[in-house]
Amino acid sequence: MSDRERLLEMATAECTEGLATGESEELRSLLSRQSDLKADEFALAAAALELAMVPHREALPQEIRSRILRTARQSVTGALTENAETAQSGAPSKSNWLPWAIAAGALLFAVLSWWPPQRGPRLPDAATERSQLVRSADDLMDLTWTATQDPSAESASGDVVWSPSRQAGFMRFQGLEVNDPSQSQYQLWIFDSTRDQRYPVDGGVFDIDHAGQTIVPIRARLPVGDAVMFAVTVEKPGGVVVSSRERIVVIAQRDG
Amino acid sequence: MRKESDVSILERISARDPGAVEQCLDLYGRLVWSIAKRLLPETLVEDVVQEVFVDIWRSASRFDPGRSSEKTFVAMIARRRVIDRLRRTEKRPATEPLDEVRIPPDDLHLSVETNVDASLAARVLKQLRPKQRDVIQMSIYQGMSHSEIAAKTGLPLGTVKTYILRGLQQVRDLMLSRTGGEEVAP
């Protein structure tokens, strides 16, 4: 199969049935090597077909609309949703508060990503954002990962940077084992000295899709008062509310 | 100076206009919810809808009215996130049999949103052979994988892929040849 045939096949698959892990990068590489098919052209065509075929009559439930709006507004003003905090002060239940805590963290990160204002057509990538944070945050914590005996961490190294004032940070990995997201995902936990240590703050779920250096933004679901340790575990797809800590792969601990 | 009505929602989101978030939900909530609910298991719908809106807000600056309408762009973002999640889940929602959802070609204009891209796509669908139109409908509407479509129709997998590819190419070519990206007034 020629590169062009492969490109057309993958561009078609991307917007209809999805791509397997690693294929997205292959598609990007193929797109960059030829000029007559731009990224998203087929995806826009598929979207137009969607709009042609499907009435889309079912309204977004008001409760969900209100949650998205409330979380977005609070994120813009810098205050995280009260719901996530209130919900976690009781017995956490994944069906009740986790989706909204995830939304709060994700939306806050989306808003933080808007600073400084975007000048070009592309959003900065994680490496650029990490560099910006490192340059500009004067309370930056920079910790080195220590690998455990877990098989996924055999060749793992890297660091984690975190700014308490910005509530933002990035993990950097080299050699952490590639995961199959349909089988397991990595999850970050932030141990906060101001909170019950049994319940570290969920820092987000992520994947490693290649063996080289990977930079992952930290998406803390709740405010982190005083981060003393960061730990990455292996969990089921989608992550968990409370980790069993059976598979801790790397740890980064603050001195003192 | 451009009036607010001339500035798209996505442009205003890029400019961090806080009022634009609510309008985005008003304009596109139905679209995003419908796509997610149709293609995903119920337990995933709410989470993915949230993720889609985050994707929309983060991608807003990439919207190019020269390439598509705003609604088409939003539908693309929603479909991408939903398809990605659908691929990672083993459970698929039960979709109605094709016989119950197949839209007769003459009725396509009745289901078309007031959107120039959708009008172009409807034009392409109308002139396709029934078998190819069915394959595209199974892929786009029912979210079936190419292998599933091949198994269901008895068509070779290569034929399924070709049918879908050609359909996308025809729609794409029409979209590239259109000017502007304005919505068709009701």
Side-chain angles (χ1 to χ4, degrees), chain A residues 57 65 73 100 103 123, chain B residues 22 26 30 38 50 58:
Chain A
R57 293 201 182 99
R65 179 188 179 282
R73 281 181 176 152
W100 316 120
L123 290 171
Chain B
E22 187 166 5
D26 288 340
R30 187 181 299 260
R38 186 180 85 243
Q50 297 248 351
R58 295 188 73 189

Side-chain angles (χ1 to χ4, degrees), chain A residues 2-9 34 36-37, chain B residues 169 172:
Chain A
S2 68
D3 275 359
R4 176 149 184 83
E5 287 168 339
R6 179 69 175 152
L7 168 62
L8 292 175
E9 182 183 61
Q34 58 80 56
D36 65 334
L37 179 67
Chain B
Q169 283 175 319
R172 179 207 55 178

Side-chain angles (χ1 to χ4, degrees), chain B residues 58-158:
Chain B
R58 295 188 73 189
S59 303
S61 60
R62 286 200 293 116
F63 169 61
D64 179 356
R67 298 183 69 199
S68 76
S69 69
E70 190 174 84
K71 191 168 196 172
T72 306
F73 183 83
V74 169
M76 176 188 73
I77 302 281
R79 283 184 52 83
R80 178 167 282 154
R81 176 62 72 165
V82 165
I83 287 167
D84 179 63
R85 185 61 78 95
L86 186 62
R87 192 183 170 87
R88 291 192 274 131
T89 184
E90 288 180 7
K91 293 182 190 173
R92 287 171 173 266
T95 52
E96 306 97 304
L98 181 61
D99 286 344
E100 292 180 19
V101 302
R102 180 185 284 121
I103 304 168
D106 287 342
D107 291 347
L108 272 169
H109 71 285
L110 296 176
S111 70
V112 162
E113 311 273 354
T114 51
N115 174 291
V116 64
D117 297 325
S119 300
L120 296 175
R123 196 192 304 174
V124 168
L125 286 168
K126 275 190 187 181
Q127 49 87 25
L128 293 179
R129 286 173 297 182
K131 226 170 187 96
Q132 184 180 6
R133 187 165 51 240
D134 281 352
V135 165
I136 291 175
Q137 190 163 346
M138 280 188 255
S139 173
I140 301 290
Y141 178 76
Q142 295 185 288
M144 294 172 68
S145 70
H146 301 173
S147 303
E148 287 170 342
I149 296 170
K152 184 152 186 162
T153 60
L155 290 168
L157 179 60

